[in-house]
Amino acid sequence: MQATQISRTSAPDAYDPARMVPYGYNETDYGTPARVAAKTVTLTIDGREVTVPAGTSVMRAASEAGINVPKLCATDSLEAFGSCRLCLVEIEDKDGRRMKGFPASCTTPAEEGMKVLTQTPKLQELRRGVMELYLSDHPLDCLTCPANGDCELQDMAGVVGLREVRYGYDGANHLADKKDESNPYFMYDPAKCIVCNRCIRACEETQGTFALTISGRGFGSRVSAGQDQPFMESECVSCGACVAACPTSTLQEKSVIQWGVPEHAVVTTCAYCGVGCSFKAEMKGAQVVRMVPYKDGGANQGHACIKGRFAWGYATHKDRVLKPMIREKISDPWREVSWSEAVGYAAQRFRELQATYGRDSIGGITSSRCTNEETYLVQKLVRAAFNNNNVDTCARVCHSPTGYGLKQTLGESAGTQTFSSVDHCDVIVVIGANPSEGHPVFASRMKRRLRQGARLIVVDPRRIDLVDGVHVKADYHLQLKPGTNVAVIASMAHVIVTEGLLDERFIAERCEDKAFKYWRDFVALPENSPEAMEEHSGVPARLVRGAARLYATGGNAAIYYGLGVTEHAQGSTMVMGIANLAMATGNVGREGVGVNPLRGQNNVQGSCDMGSFPHELPGYRHISDTVTRSLFEQAWGVRLQPEPGLRIPNMFDAALSGTFKGLYCQGEDIVQSDPDTQHVASALSAMECIVVQDIFLNETAKYAHVFLPGSSFLEKDGTFTNAERRISRVRKVMEPMAGLADWQVTIELAQALGYPMHYTHPAQIMEEIAALTPTLHGVTFEKLDRLGSIQWPCNEEAPAGTPIMHVDHFVRGKGKFFITKYVPSDEKVTCKFPLLLTTGRVLSQYNVGAQTRRTENVLFYDEDRLEIHPHDAEERGIKDGDWVGIESRAGQTVLRADVTDRVAPGVVYTTFHFPESGANVITTDSSDWATNCPEYKVTAVQVMPVAQPSAWQRSYQNFNATQERLYEERQSRSASVTAT
Ligand code: SF4
Ligand code: SF4
Ligand code: SF4
Ligand code: FES
């Protein structure tokens, strides 16, 4: 075996060619990272002439020529370190002078005319000597080691031809060193450590956490986490980068210890956040052994976070509901039935409701966790089989303002860049986002750029990790009051306009003149100055002025934003304000700049692209447009309604007023995720047929009449589209546990509704999507398999996709400035509700927690807590860990307090990962003026110490217990039927 090949990755082609990607699968480890340079150098290695970019190491040059130099401390994801001395070579310079000694090829740059020998008797002897030293202090339990067959130390012993260890095994050693098994996902066994430093460098260079160090000196040197602490007590965030980098079994996934070394792998895409990391699902039969971040992944390039890397156990969790179920009323026990009975029942009920209450009395919700193909089918089913446009998606409650705001200003409802564009930023602005928690793999990349010297502006009510992190510090933290984003962006624009910092040439060439002048004159008004806005935002004017100057004059400046921008009454206004700022400074249309929404769920971009909004067909084309509509009418063979349908909040209101009676909800948990839980619950209770399709009996399913088992991302083929518009393949690694993948269930339902759909593979669905959607005309599964991933638009003009948008002109032609007038939120602090609640998420939990709560991630975060400033806590007699009641005009709940100055006085903060905390019982129906996106980020509340759960929590506990009993009764009944 070639030492630099990962042996197990050569096997998959033999496993199932249909599921394999033919590209990049031979993961050669070139030893050191690639260099980009205008100049090249040519050298000779073992008689072979090699030309590489200047700065390339001798080791990499050799590897590129197919010559593998033995190595242990080098790997091509990390800068060379030169500690193991296994990669020694002999070198003559261009004048024939032999270089002194035996240089390490990993740390020696290739030079013009060099002559390198990688295999000589002397080198062989030296390398054997190195290996002897390593092995004299190694357990040599290869046969029982979990890494047997996947260990670089083992490989190298073979490569250097080691036959004996002259020093014996009885000298001083580390064999009795204690293992650290504290982390639920990986183990650290110091006895096997060769102190190559790969883990430490991975934690620093790849992840940016700096959790590891070498403790002790000389022979006593060992890797340690934090201050010589167990991993779980250190700063480690369990990204797994060190585990992936470790060449031995010192850092080892516990799943590999349990299942053994994998035997085949399938490349697929993470089903958690909008970063869209590629993974190799490494398997043994149908058992996932581990998820390894894929080196050629366009979005992650071999890195991962705790969720995608380790928290995949939910997919086969015992809570999975695997049998379709129906019931007449939600007070009835569930009855397990066949797929055909469940689907037939749902279809019959939907048709009855339409016959009784009218065509528009039912609707559907598509899932941003499901594939593009599945989402497309659900909206098609609603439009073609329900024959209305009552379809919406979770983007309603997260990034709908992004779609609206960017479409208006730039002409396309999506971010402008690739993630790699951040490598070219000089100034990074993060607004209302917490990438280290919400988009961790991108955060690592961003932090690397910051460590290289890029400047940072953070606009956030909370002191997020980036403000004052390890080796990362914000130049400006504009710690604004929740709800005042537009005040801050308008005052930044004021500074840029009034201080002459506009990019006049860009604006003249690329933007609509009239709209620009109108905007320029508006933001120049004194009422928009930082000094005037300070009383609203609470941000000192001098900081706003400094940040605006830095953004406008600091070189390539890019804005990254999240739900802290969109989930406001002025969410759409703020998105337009961000686009205005980027256009005004010429920061659009090239590497290192742009407007970048960080999308929440794995496929929220895709679900929007696929026509999930009630007013838009796939590709963001308005349903009222006759030409577009007739295109779909021809393809689908039905007449479509020209009027937009109901948005999710309208569905709830219509349900309460008695006109909306049935809902098909695929893969969303609206009871937990949508604002004003009690309002949502009342609306669902008022409906007569709710069909939930999910992998678990989620909170929404407790109000359902039909439950259709869903399939996890491991059980189906399809595509996800991430925050950079990157379409990546999702590949089936196991059969659907309930028998059908989600797309097949929708087809069954369509058939039962009398609207047959004829697809036998998601590739055919993508063919239809591509044919009907100009921005996706060029997308096929075959091309995705060939290229790895594609960023749309992908069509005749851009057959390989479009990494950066708006390069020569905006999608809408000329960029359009919009007036963004600050309007204070209706959610104002009062004597009764004197604090502002804002919400967010943590790294280890995901969204409503349905997946991550069913993994060991609960060991990292097992309850939602309320962050409160020490001053506000003291005023109320609240101590850290106390139970506190939070009350808003919508409701009341109880959480434990986390007293911290991460939040400013007057602001409290919580997450919404646990249903029993009821964070959304507090949030109100206040929403964005343009899109109805809820104002999750601003709720006026009061907080006080309490001793017992809130009334809502007590009623939730009762309701939940009843629903669990009704589910259990279903189980016991089916068990007794089976027994007899
Ligand atoms: S798991 Fe990640 S954060 Fe933790 S020590 Fe390893 S590289 Fe660092
Ligand atoms: S734990 Fe692994 S990667 Fe880290 S120094 Fe030891 S052998 Fe090297
Ligand atoms: S960053 Fe997002 S996509 Fe990547 S592994 Fe983590 S959760 Fe998955
Ligand atoms: S691989 Fe070069 S010194 Fe270790």
Side-chain angles (χ1 to χ4, degrees):
M1 186 190 85
Q2 295 289 323
T4 48
Q5 311 278 315
I6 298 175
S7 60
R8 63 200 174 283
T9 56
S10 58
D13 284 334
Y15 169 65
D16 181 353
R19 294 189 200 163
M20 296 307 126
V21 278
Y23 78 101
Y25 215 68
N26 171 17
E27 285 184 278
T28 302
D29 184 343
Y30 294 92
T32 63
R35 294 284 179 244
V36 182
K39 198 176 151 223
T40 57
V41 293
T42 300
L43 66 164
T44 308
I45 304 176
D46 293 345
R48 225 177 285 177
E49 204 164 85
V50 190
T51 300
V52 290
T56 303
S57 70
V58 167
M59 174 180 277
R60 185 169 182 114
S63 189
E64 287 184 6
I67 299 164
N68 295 308
V69 184
K71 61 183 173 48
L72 272 172
C73 69
T75 185
D76 60 11
S77 59
L78 303 169
E79 291 300 328
F81 188 63
S83 73
C84 75
R85 314 307 292 170
L86 204 63
C87 68
L88 308 182
V89 290
E90 293 180 18
I91 300 180
E92 272 182 15
D93 69 14
K94 65 178 186 337
D95 301 319
R97 284 189 301 257
R98 191 169 182 279
M99 277 175 78
K100 228 168 119 192
F102 299 91
S105 61
C106 62
T107 49
T108 307
E111 282 175 17
E112 186 67 34
M114 260 182 177
K115 286 194 176 56
V116 180
L117 292 177
T118 70
Q119 302 293 344
T120 67
K122 183 64 187 167
L123 291 171
Q124 196 75 345
E125 183 193 327
L126 289 170
R127 288 174 187 153
R128 278 197 201 124
V130 168
M131 287 305 295
E132 281 184 87
L133 283 171
Y134 277 130
L135 293 185
S136 66
D137 181 15
H138 201 79
L140 297 183
D141 56 354
C142 294
L143 286 184
T144 53
C145 178
N148 189 14
D150 180 26
C151 170
E152 293 181 40
L153 187 69
Q154 196 179 44
D155 294 343
M156 288 305 119
V159 165
V160 304
L162 191 69
R163 298 290 172 261
E164 60 169 341
V165 174
R166 286 167 294 162
Y167 315 112
Y169 305 99
D170 302 328
N173 59 53
H174 299 84
L175 304 187
D177 286 8
K178 201 165 166 291
K179 292 178 187 169
D180 175 359
E181 300 188 75
S182 61
N183 188 289
Y185 296 119
F186 61 85
M187 193 195 64
Y188 170 54
D189 181 358
K192 293 184 174 170
C193 180
I194 59 170
V195 202
C196 67
N197 264 58
R198 275 164 62 162
C199 53
I200 297 171
R201 286 177 284 145
C203 192
E204 294 177 0
E205 294 174 27
T206 310
Q207 164 59 21
T209 293
F210 296 77
L212 300 178
T213 185
I214 295 283
S215 63
R217 289 170 158 245
F219 183 75
S221 304
R222 270 304 174 258
V223 170
S224 73
Q227 309 298 312
D228 227 345
Q229 295 159 298
F231 271 79
M232 275 302 267
E233 289 170 25
S234 73
E235 305 87 348
C236 168
V237 293
S238 297
C239 70
C242 55
V243 183
C246 183
T248 65
S249 182
T250 311
L251 286 161
Q252 183 73 64
E253 296 93 346
K254 287 184 176 174
S255 57
V256 174
I257 298 171
Q258 181 182 0
W259 295 101
V261 174
E263 59 195 22
H264 65 266
V266 181
V267 175
T268 190
T269 305
C270 179
Y272 280 116
C273 85
V275 176
C277 297
S278 289
F279 279 88
K280 281 185 301 175
E282 295 195 342
M283 315 282 298
K284 247 193 156 103
Q287 173 66 47
V288 178
V289 174
R290 67 179 165 190
M291 297 292 280
V292 178
Y294 189 43
K295 206 166 141 181
D296 284 349
N300 59 321
Q301 296 171 352
H303 191 32
C305 82
I306 181 173
K307 295 190 287 289
R309 177 81 154 96
F310 295 119
W312 39 268
Y314 73 87
T316 50
H317 193 274
K318 64 177 176 44
D319 288 354
R320 283 281 301 265
V321 181
L322 299 175
K323 292 271 169 54
M325 305 186 295
I326 58 177
R327 59 184 177 178
E328 303 277 310
K329 305 189 292 298
I330 68 164
S331 51
D332 292 343
W334 285 103
R335 199 155 55 83
E336 281 182 352
V337 294
S338 66
W339 274 107
S340 62
E341 187 177 345
V343 166
Y345 179 79
Q348 185 195 337
R349 291 295 292 126
F350 281 149
R351 286 299 186 222
E352 285 167 1
L353 292 174
Q354 286 188 303
T356 311
Y357 300 104
R359 187 193 62 211
D360 297 336
S361 61
I362 62 173
I365 294 178
T366 70
S367 173
S368 293
R369 295 176 201 188
C370 287
T371 63
N372 285 316
E373 294 71 19
E374 288 164 342
T375 307
Y376 174 84
L377 287 195
V378 172
Q379 64 86 33
K380 177 175 177 179
L381 176 135
V382 171
R383 299 188 201 280
F386 290 180
N387 200 225
N388 61 41
N389 292 310
N390 292 338
V391 62
D392 209 355
T393 186
C394 79
R396 172 71 49 219
V397 299
C398 64
H399 267 288
S400 50
T402 288
Y404 179 85
L406 296 187
K407 182 95 178 170
Q408 295 292 312
T409 47
L410 311 182
E412 192 55 271
S413 300
T416 61
Q417 309 297 118
T418 59
F419 287 143
S420 60
S421 163
V422 80
D423 301 346
H424 304 271
C425 284
D426 300 308
V427 179
I428 297 171
V429 186
V430 177
I431 310 180
N434 189 355
S436 327
E437 305 280 340
H439 302 85
V441 165
F442 174 65
S444 293
R445 190 165 197 151
M446 181 188 273
K447 286 187 204 170
R448 193 183 321 148
R449 183 62 190 157
L450 292 167
R451 290 197 302 275
Q452 289 166 354
R455 312 282 299 275
L456 175 65
I457 300 166
V458 173
V459 184
D460 202 289
R462 246 174 118 240
R463 199 183 65 241
I464 59 171
D465 165 64
L466 285 176
V467 171
D468 200 4
V470 189
H471 300 289
V472 168
K473 194 165 170 46
D475 295 86
Y476 293 95
H477 177 204
L478 310 186
Q479 195 168 16
L480 74 181
K481 287 182 196 153
T484 62
N485 283 328
V486 175
V488 169
I489 209 82
S491 52
M492 285 179 75
H494 176 92
V495 176
I496 288 166
V497 166
T498 56
E499 296 191 9
L501 307 179
L502 291 165
D503 186 336
E504 304 276 6
R505 198 167 131 207
F506 182 91
I507 296 164
E509 283 173 9
R510 302 281 308 266
C511 303
E512 283 187 14
D513 187 52
K514 198 170 153 205
F516 162 67
K517 287 182 175 144
Y518 192 37
W519 171 82
R520 181 196 61 193
D521 295 346
F522 166 74
V523 295
L525 295 173
E527 70 203 47
N528 285 319
S529 69
E531 290 71 21
M533 286 298 186
E534 185 172 335
E535 71 167 294
H536 300 290
S537 67
V539 184
R542 71 183 162 76
L543 295 185
V544 175
R545 286 195 178 273
R549 288 171 193 146
L550 177 58
Y551 176 74
T553 63
N556 284 343
I559 299 177
Y560 294 87
Y561 72 88
L563 304 181
V565 159
T566 53
E567 290 177 343
H568 284 87
Q570 284 201 288
S572 293
T573 316
M574 181 61 182
V575 173
M576 292 192 286
I578 287 172
N580 288 340
L581 216 59
M583 290 188 290
T585 52
N587 277 311
V588 193
R590 61 179 191 279
E591 292 260 43
V593 298
V595 176
N596 304 278
L598 295 172
R599 300 286 191 150
Q601 303 216 60
N602 53 321
N603 198 35
V604 68
Q605 177 71 55
S607 74
C608 299
D609 301 343
M610 293 300 118
S612 293
F613 290 132
H615 65 295
E616 282 172 341
L617 285 158
Y620 303 99
R621 287 161 298 163
H622 206 279
I623 189 77
S624 62
D625 178 60
T626 315
V627 176
T628 309
R629 212 173 52 251
S630 60
L631 181 75
F632 281 85
E633 285 176 340
Q634 269 186 3
W636 294 352
V638 287
R639 216 178 248 298
L640 299 176
Q641 301 304 321
E643 298 294 326
L646 298 174
R647 297 170 174 181
I648 292 172
N650 307 135
M651 292 181 196
F652 296 152
D653 291 343
L656 287 167
S657 65
T659 56
F660 190 79
K661 293 289 183 180
L663 181 68
Y664 172 36
C665 180
Q666 184 185 73
E668 289 297 336
D669 193 357
I670 49 179
V671 170
Q672 197 183 334
S673 65
D674 283 35
D676 199 349
T677 308
Q678 294 174 99
H679 177 73
V680 177
S682 308
L684 295 188
S685 304
M687 294 185 205
E688 294 182 18
C689 180
I690 295 174
V691 178
V692 166
Q693 186 172 329
D694 207 287
I695 59 176
F696 299 117
L697 197 75
N698 62 19
E699 299 307 304
T700 308
K702 292 168 185 168
Y703 293 86
H705 307 87
V706 179
F707 186 91
L708 304 174
S711 47
S712 79
F713 75 115
L714 296 171
E715 297 158 43
K716 56 198 179 188
D717 281 295
T719 56
F720 291 152
T721 306
N722 78 350
E724 356 150 70
R725 296 168 278 107
R726 185 185 299 280
I727 307 168
S728 301
R729 280 280 275 113
V730 177
R731 292 185 178 85
K732 185 163 89 170
V733 305
M734 59 175 73
E735 291 306 316
M737 289 176 69
L740 294 177
D742 288 310
W743 59 276
Q744 293 171 307
V745 177
T746 306
I747 290 173
E748 293 293 319
L749 184 56
Q751 172 83 32
L753 285 160
Y755 181 78
M757 295 180 179
H758 305 286
Y759 312 98
T760 55
H761 191 276
Q764 298 158 355
I765 307 172
M766 180 51 87
E767 263 174 45
E768 181 175 314
I769 296 165
L772 292 169
T773 313
T775 45
L776 303 173
H777 269 340
V779 179
T780 63
F781 275 34
E782 180 279 320
K783 193 189 274 185
L784 285 165
D785 287 349
R786 193 155 34 85
L787 301 183
S789 59
I790 301 170
Q791 285 174 272
W792 66 257
C794 171
N795 47 27
E796 298 72 11
E797 291 88 59
T802 311
I804 294 180
M805 294 189 79
H806 315 293
V807 173
D808 297 318
H809 55 267
F810 287 100
V811 170
R812 70 183 300 284
K814 296 253 180 186
K816 187 167 182 181
F817 285 82
F818 276 77
I819 297 291
T820 57
K821 184 173 169 51
Y822 170 63
V823 178
S825 167
D826 286 345
E827 277 296 305
K828 291 190 178 56
V829 290
T830 59
C831 296
K832 191 167 177 208
F833 302 121
L835 302 170
L836 286 177
L837 171 74
T838 187
T839 59
R841 60 177 67 178
V842 294
L843 169 67
S844 53
Q845 294 292 341
Y846 173 71
N847 202 274
V848 295
Q851 293 142 285
T852 42
R853 280 187 278 111
R854 291 179 170 93
T855 68
E856 305 274 35
N857 279 24
V858 290
L859 296 175
F860 298 86
Y861 194 77
D862 61 358
E863 63 175 338
D864 296 315
R865 287 194 168 216
L866 186 82
E867 288 186 4
I868 182 166
H869 190 271
H871 170 78
D872 294 324
E874 194 185 345
E875 260 190 354
R876 291 163 175 77
I878 294 167
K879 292 191 296 306
D880 198 50
D882 281 356
W883 289 105
V884 290
I886 318 145
E887 187 179 0
S888 73
R889 63 183 167 85
Q892 198 183 32
T893 194
V894 172
L895 297 174
R896 277 201 289 167
D898 179 1
V899 179
T900 169
D901 63 2
R902 268 191 300 275
V903 287
V907 176
V908 289
Y909 165 90
T910 190
T911 51
F912 58 98
H913 302 302
F914 293 83
E916 56 275 15
S917 352
N920 280 326
V921 173
I922 306 298
T923 53
T924 66
D925 57 0
S926 176
S927 66
D928 175 46
W929 61 272
T931 64
N932 269 154
C933 181
E935 195 174 27
Y936 288 112
K937 303 298 182 190
V938 194
T939 309
V941 296
Q942 177 57 294
V943 174
M944 71 294 287
V946 292
Q948 58 176 8
S950 72
W952 173 82
Q953 279 167 315
R954 287 195 297 275
S955 85
Y956 168 77
Q957 279 161 8
N958 289 338
F959 176 74
N960 194 40
T962 305
Q963 287 301 319
E964 278 176 3
R965 180 178 53 76
L966 294 173
Y967 179 61
E968 290 303 319
E969 280 180 8
R970 175 278 327 171
Q971 284 184 319
S972 56
R973 207 159 52 178
S974 84
S976 68
V977 170
T978 312
T980 53

